[in-house]
Amino acid sequence: MMFLSPTRGSVALEEMVKILHDFVQEDQEASYKLVIGTDSHTTRRSTTLVTAVIIHRIGKGARFFYRKRSSRPLFDLRTRIYRETELSLELVELLNRSGMSDLTSQWPLEIHIDIGQQGETKVLIQEICGWVTSIGYEARIKPMSFGASSVADRFAE
């Protein structure tokens, strides 16, 4: 599985995990937050789904990677939001199995969801956030869901 980084280019999952660990090792006194968020863009032909992995050194910068996939068009908003959330949660589990469990247990892990109080997605807040929190992760929605609504969104076109 490959991820893209604006600074490192294409990297394998294992290399991304190492880079994230190295970033934490650079400043062990700092506080960190791990963020995973997915956003999508649908055209008549396909839906592009982008999942971002961000490690935020609070007050001192961040590193991020993203993975892009295409699927058949997902026109239904509920289906698309559920698929985005599913991809974020799947990536957390994959990262935990790939050597990130020490970081995910040590620092807050937030799942950023591209829904909010404004617009059509507000009816999904309770069920999607309930799903994420029932698994044990913090759910963030707009305007606090920058992992999905800014980082992933930037590469979803």
Side-chain angles (χ1 to χ4, degrees):
M1 176 178 301
M2 300 301 287
F3 290 83
L4 294 168
S5 162
T7 55
R8 305 266 183 146
S10 182
V11 298
L13 174 67
E14 298 77 17
E15 186 178 354
M16 179 184 73
V17 169
K18 181 183 181 327
I19 293 167
L20 295 173
H21 275 99
D22 290 348
F23 184 67
V24 170
Q25 292 301 313
E26 289 172 11
D27 187 354
Q28 296 179 29
E29 301 301 314
S31 294
Y32 294 87
K33 175 172 43 176
L34 295 164
V35 173
I36 296 179
T38 303
D39 196 15
S40 62
H41 178 75
T42 299
T43 65
R44 286 182 292 128
R45 295 185 196 164
S46 66
T47 294
T48 301
L49 296 132
V50 175
T51 303
V53 178
I54 304 148
I55 187 158
H56 181 201
R57 186 181 292 151
I58 311 281
K60 300 180 183 178
R63 298 284 183 275
F64 77 91
F65 298 84
Y66 65 95
R67 180 173 183 225
K68 190 181 271 197
R69 346 169 121 163
S70 290
S71 77
R72 63 176 175 75
L74 302 172
F75 296 114
D76 179 66
L77 180 62
R78 177 180 296 274
T79 302
R80 201 165 60 245
I81 297 298
Y82 265 90
R83 183 65 179 138
E84 291 172 9
T85 306
E86 179 183 37
L87 288 174
S88 292
L89 293 172
E90 284 175 359
L91 184 56
V92 173
E93 294 309 311
L94 182 61
L95 290 171
N96 282 332
R97 290 192 309 265
S98 299
M100 286 274 299
S101 59
D102 60 330
L103 295 180
T104 58
S105 64
Q106 184 177 3
W107 304 109
L109 174 63
E110 296 178 358
I111 304 297
H112 286 200
I113 309 158
D114 194 30
I115 58 177
Q117 296 290 340
Q118 306 298 318
E120 298 175 60
T121 61
K122 66 183 172 191
V123 299
L124 299 171
I125 292 172
Q126 187 173 0
E127 61 191 273
I128 297 291
C129 290
W131 176 23
V132 170
T133 57
S134 72
I135 297 172
Y137 302 116
E138 294 181 38
R140 294 285 184 262
I141 63 170
K142 292 176 185 175
M144 303 304 293
S145 63
F146 66 86
S149 57
S150 293
V151 178
D153 177 69
R154 179 173 156 197
F155 300 98
E157 297 280 331

